[in-house]
Amino acid sequence: MGRLSIRRLFDRRPSVTRRLGLRARITLAFAVGALLLSALLSATTWALTRENLLNQREDSAMVLVFQNARTVQNRVSPDTDQQALLSSLSTPQGANPILFYDDKYVPRTPEFGQDALPSELRDAVIAGRPSQMRYSLRGEMQLAVGLPIPSVDAAYFEIISLEELQSTLGALGVSLVGASLVTTLAGAALGWWASRRALRPLSGVSTAALALAAGRLDTRLEASEDPDLRPITASFNDMAQALQDRIEQDARFASDVSHELRSPLMTLAASIEVMNNQREDLPDRARAALDLMVADIDRFQQLVEDLLEISRFDAGVARLELEEVHLAELVMQAVSHSTDADVPIELDAALAGAVVHADKRRIVRVIANLLDNAGKYGAGASGVSLRRVDGGIQIAVEDAGDGVLEEDRAIIFDRFSRGALAGRRGSSDGVGLGLALVAEHVNLHGGRVWVEDRSDGAPGARFVVELPVEDHE
Amino acid sequence: MRQSGGVGTRILAVEDDERIRTAVKLALEDEGWAVTEAATGEDALLAFQQEPADVVLIDIMLPGIDGFEVCRSIRRGSDVPIVMVTARADTHDVVAGLEAGADDYLTKPFAPKELSARIRALLRRARTSEVSSPHLRFGDLEIVPEEGVVRRSGRDVHLTKTEFRVLVELAQSPGRVFSRELLLERIWGYGYFGDGRLVDVHVRRLRTKVEADPANPRHVVTVRGLGYKLRV
């Protein structure tokens, strides 16, 4: 339930953007924002500048055009050399005058003649309206101005190239686009930085959550100064506290129960033994019942002992009592005192005198539990071997049973996993904590344990305990 | 002093849980031993005063004065073997109990057979400590195994029976290194799986009595990683 509703909180976004990470999304948002803003500013700047420059250019051109028109008005007559008149006019570079007189268009330069003028402009001027217009001629931007000179029945036109202005505007446009791009990139960088800052507390949360998951239950987030982060920090820490309380409560419960069981168990064990001393005097039925009690009181005691042991792991109070241990001797002694004392032991010659730092009691329990397990589920242990491997020592117990199915190999070290494996490694015997304790003891030593097929190909399981050893002679 | 043979051996059992106490008493009586019960530390000290036992069994968790205190009080006037009963083997209780003067310990729940075996080992130790070789001398230390006497600089040193056994064991092969496992087997009858702390605490206690400076022992020395030896 809880998991569902929390997921839903994050499920509202459309799936495309959700595929991007939060950081990428924030960065993208900043970049798009910067792009839109800079594009708008650039476009406005460009348009205003363009308008301004054109107006200036037109204004200055108009002054000259009026001057020239006046000159034409004064000097034109049917006898005038019209070409000479046009040549005498002072025009800025790129300006081409055209004279309309006597129903004829006379250009100064042939390529800027009647056809070079837009017809609307011509018509308007001939009709007596002074006009000007911008247009494109042969790919270049031009300003055409026409002034009717009614007193002499003429008109004066000028085609002024705006190409220079155009290239200025082009250069401006390029630099504005460049500026926009830089702004966009800066926006993206800002977004990246801001998202990192904003997400930094989240990475703290993630580290803390990992630590909690790894079993360091006292992990807490540092109280945040930031009012926006404080609720997250507080609720995370509350959650961690609740989790710790709950887990410790569970661990304490198992421990308390086992402690409470000890006293009655003690009485039962002693009483059963007293009865067992008089076993021969009992009637058959009572004797049969007594035998059941004798058999099960041991199992019961073992279970309570194992529960206590495992509850110490859960409570995090299990500590190694390290001492220098002669490993080969330890294994041999553990085997000879186990339920299966005749198992052959194969010893790596390199380990004959090896001394390791280990918790003797725990290693003995590991070996005893593995042999026990082989006896109960593996038709008895067929061999114990001890060998040196890279960085550690391997203790392996092989049995002659049916082996362990691939899918059971991971769960076989779980507590009471006998239930899950029922029918496959079925037996009414055993308590199901033996292998779980093996794993706990080995982990406490920094080692690992696993089960595999027998190394010689015969049917059967091979339980391997690998303990790390620091190299020293 | 009472002769601690098989028959007529008297055991004082101090345990506040009545049912456990009764069951243990029944089991020990099946071994042929006489059992005196005490439910509190005060009762135990009183009973011990009236009639000293050959072995004392003390549960550490007692109402009133606790098991450690009972142990120390008995130790002040007697070298009687004491077995402590603790809740767990891997707590400080074990070391504290041994330091209070206990010779051995058991953790609950223990099998009565285990208890009988412990008691028999202690009784055997109490007997065998009186048969041994002649007079041994190491510097200022003088051991007379036959009389069960140890003198340092001419003065009698009072050792418990277990401490005495540890010293004699080491003294009979001076210079030889004894591993903890070997001492556990020879003295406690445990063999390889005994608790090494039994040896360590007893050696520590022994040193406070036979060494001039227990922090820098001259007689009973530690051989790192191997065990203990008596320096010649």
Side-chain angles (χ1 to χ4, degrees):
Chain A
M1 274 301 283
R3 170 170 292 201
L4 252 180
S5 58
I6 287 172
R7 283 192 71 161
R8 213 168 279 147
L9 276 177
F10 293 100
D11 264 356
R12 281 194 212 126
R13 302 190 154 277
S15 62
V16 181
T17 48
R18 215 161 42 102
R19 236 172 279 149
L20 291 171
L22 185 56
R23 264 189 94 173
R25 295 209 306 271
I26 293 178
T27 307
L28 191 66
F30 268 75
V32 169
L35 177 67
L36 287 177
L37 197 65
S38 59
L40 182 70
L41 283 174
S42 299
T44 313
T45 307
W46 193 79
L48 285 175
T49 311
R50 179 175 184 271
E51 217 38 51
N52 240 323
L53 286 176
L54 283 172
N55 287 344
Q56 264 176 31
R57 186 84 170 84
E58 282 171 13
D59 288 352
S60 62
M62 286 312 271
V63 174
L64 285 171
V65 170
F66 272 106
Q67 253 173 37
N68 287 338
R70 205 166 298 124
T71 309
V72 168
Q73 184 180 18
N74 293 340
R75 290 179 39 194
V76 80
S77 69
D79 318 318
T80 332
D81 181 350
Q82 290 168 7
Q83 267 307 326
L85 173 61
L86 285 174
S87 300
S88 70
L89 294 175
S90 82
T91 52
Q93 192 172 6
N96 292 288
I98 301 165
L99 179 64
F100 176 74
Y101 187 69
D102 199 14
D103 285 333
K104 280 196 312 259
Y105 288 90
V106 183
R108 187 167 68 186
T109 23
E111 60 265 40
F112 289 96
Q114 178 185 359
D115 299 338
L117 286 170
S119 55
E120 312 97 276
L121 181 96
R122 279 192 333 242
D123 297 345
V125 174
I126 305 298
R129 291 193 302 276
S131 303
Q132 66 177 76
M133 77 182 288
R134 264 178 243 148
Y135 69 106
S136 177
L137 175 67
R138 296 188 282 270
E140 291 187 359
M141 197 179 178
Q142 313 284 350
L143 175 67
V145 185
L147 293 175
I149 315 171
S151 57
V152 290
D153 205 11
Y156 177 71
F157 295 91
E158 215 170 279
I159 299 173
I160 304 149
S161 171
L162 296 176
E163 194 48 34
E164 197 188 329
L165 204 59
Q166 192 70 4
S167 69
T168 308
L169 283 173
L172 178 68
V174 167
S175 41
L176 283 174
V177 167
S180 295
L181 281 177
V182 169
T183 311
T184 305
L185 287 177
L190 183 70
W192 186 253
W193 177 79
S195 61
R196 208 181 62 176
R197 270 198 71 101
L199 292 179
R200 195 178 296 152
L202 275 187
S203 83
V205 172
S206 144
T207 312
L210 281 177
L212 277 171
R216 292 190 291 282
L217 293 177
D218 53 352
T219 307
R220 295 290 180 276
L221 288 176
E222 254 177 64
S224 175
E225 303 270 305
D226 191 320
D228 294 328
L229 293 175
R230 215 174 292 143
I232 298 177
T233 313
S235 53
F236 183 91
N237 285 346
D238 287 351
M239 178 205 73
Q241 185 63 45
L243 200 62
Q244 182 178 17
D245 289 350
R246 180 75 176 273
I247 288 173
E248 284 176 356
Q249 202 180 336
D250 284 357
R252 237 189 342 264
F253 179 73
S255 172
D256 290 348
V257 166
S258 314
H259 267 289
E260 290 300 317
L261 284 174
R262 292 170 155 208
S263 295
L265 198 52
M266 179 78 234
T267 310
L268 282 176
S271 305
I272 289 172
E273 197 174 303
V274 171
M275 284 173 77
N276 205 30
N277 289 338
Q278 266 88 52
R279 187 171 178 279
E280 301 310 317
D281 303 334
L282 294 175
D284 285 351
R285 292 178 59 82
R287 199 186 302 162
L290 175 65
D291 289 346
L292 289 175
M293 287 202 284
V294 170
D296 264 18
I297 197 76
D298 286 344
R299 264 173 68 185
F300 196 2
Q301 287 200 354
Q302 187 62 50
L303 177 58
V304 169
E305 211 171 284
D306 286 353
L307 273 173
L308 267 171
E309 183 97 44
I310 217 152
S311 71
R312 292 183 68 75
F313 283 107
D314 292 346
V317 296
R319 298 279 176 271
L320 283 178
E321 297 265 348
L322 289 179
E323 57 181 306
E324 286 180 332
V325 177
H326 190 274
L327 195 65
E329 189 185 356
L330 176 74
V331 173
M332 285 191 284
Q333 293 279 2
V335 171
S336 70
H337 282 78
S338 74
T339 47
D340 209 345
D342 302 326
V343 180
I345 302 172
E346 184 195 319
L347 200 65
D348 196 335
L351 285 173
V355 173
V356 295
H357 276 99
D359 188 323
K360 198 165 93 175
R361 184 184 69 85
R362 295 185 196 276
I363 299 299
V364 167
R365 285 249 46 93
V366 164
I367 295 169
N369 286 3
L370 287 179
L371 289 171
D372 237 34
N373 179 69
K376 281 173 190 157
Y377 309 109
S382 59
V384 175
S385 68
L386 183 62
R387 64 191 179 102
R388 182 86 218 222
V389 292
D390 211 21
I393 283 172
Q394 280 186 358
I395 304 168
V397 174
E398 292 189 351
D399 63 45
D402 300 329
V404 180
L405 291 176
E406 200 76 54
E407 61 262 39
D408 292 341
R409 290 183 184 178
I411 60 166
I412 199 167
F413 294 100
D414 292 350
R415 293 167 194 189
F416 299 110
S417 63
R418 188 164 54 91
L421 304 171
R424 285 177 253 167
R425 277 174 89 79
S427 162
S428 62
D429 229 10
V431 285
L433 276 176
L435 289 178
L437 276 170
V438 166
E440 296 279 11
H441 287 316
V442 171
N443 286 342
L444 198 61
H445 277 86
R448 54 199 192 97
V449 60
W450 68 92
V451 60
E452 57 191 28
D453 287 326
R454 263 176 71 157
S455 53
D456 58 4
R462 172 183 165 88
F463 285 82
V464 187
V465 170
E466 190 173 300
L467 298 173
V469 280
E470 63 279 28
D471 270 304
H472 64 92
E473 291 312 313
Chain B
M1 194 189 176
R2 292 182 57 87
Q3 185 55 44
S4 31
V7 183
T9 296
R10 181 164 294 279
I11 294 166
L12 174 60
V14 193
E15 162 68 63
D16 63 321
D17 186 315
E18 190 196 338
R19 285 188 295 274
I20 295 180
R21 199 171 64 234
T22 310
V24 167
K25 175 181 151 83
L26 288 171
L28 292 179
E29 282 173 349
D30 272 3
E31 299 282 339
W33 297 320
V35 179
T36 310
E37 295 172 72
T40 66
E42 289 83 350
D43 287 357
L45 291 177
L46 208 64
F48 191 76
Q49 240 170 23
Q50 284 166 358
E51 191 175 13
D54 300 298
V55 175
V56 181
L57 178 70
I58 306 174
D59 191 332
I60 282 175
M61 304 284 277
L62 287 176
I65 61 171
D66 66 12
F68 301 117
E69 192 48 47
V70 175
C71 191
R72 275 189 289 269
S73 298
I74 291 175
R75 253 310 155 251
R76 274 195 278 276
S78 166
D79 60 1
V80 63
I82 298 176
V83 181
M84 282 278 192
V85 178
T86 68
R88 282 207 60 84
D90 54 355
T91 60
H92 187 69
D93 281 4
V94 171
V95 173
L98 293 173
E99 275 169 349
D103 296 89
D104 206 343
Y105 75 92
L106 283 169
T107 49
K108 258 190 202 172
F110 54 85
K113 278 200 165 45
E114 181 67 19
L115 173 61
S116 322
R118 300 286 95 229
I119 290 174
R120 267 194 293 273
L122 286 170
L123 290 171
R124 195 163 52 239
R125 214 179 304 165
R127 280 200 308 279
T128 51
S129 65
E130 281 132 38
V131 282
S132 198
S133 44
H135 205 97
L136 301 160
R137 181 179 278 280
F138 305 91
D140 61 351
L141 200 63
E142 193 186 344
I143 308 168
V144 192
E146 283 170 9
E147 297 171 27
V149 169
V150 175
R151 294 193 193 92
R152 184 162 67 85
S153 311
R155 278 226 190 100
D156 272 17
V157 176
H158 200 81
L159 299 182
T160 68
K161 289 192 165 64
T162 308
E163 289 158 3
F164 185 74
R165 280 286 289 134
V166 172
L167 183 61
V168 169
E169 197 66 50
L170 295 173
Q172 277 169 346
S173 311
R176 176 185 164 187
V177 180
F178 286 78
S179 67
R180 293 148 120 205
E181 285 82 6
L182 185 61
L183 290 171
L184 278 170
E185 190 184 331
R186 292 265 184 96
I187 297 165
W188 283 269
Y190 270 119
Y192 191 77
F193 296 102
D195 184 342
R197 291 175 300 177
L198 280 173
V199 180
D200 298 339
V201 177
H202 274 86
V203 167
R204 203 147 71 218
R205 263 170 30 193
L206 182 61
R207 281 172 178 161
T208 64
K209 297 176 180 176
V210 301
E211 301 282 357
D213 178 6
N216 296 295
R218 287 183 49 235
H219 301 297
V220 184
V221 295
T222 306
V223 184
R224 233 192 119 254
L226 293 176
Y228 299 100
K229 69 172 183 179
L230 193 78
R231 188 143 59 189
V232 190

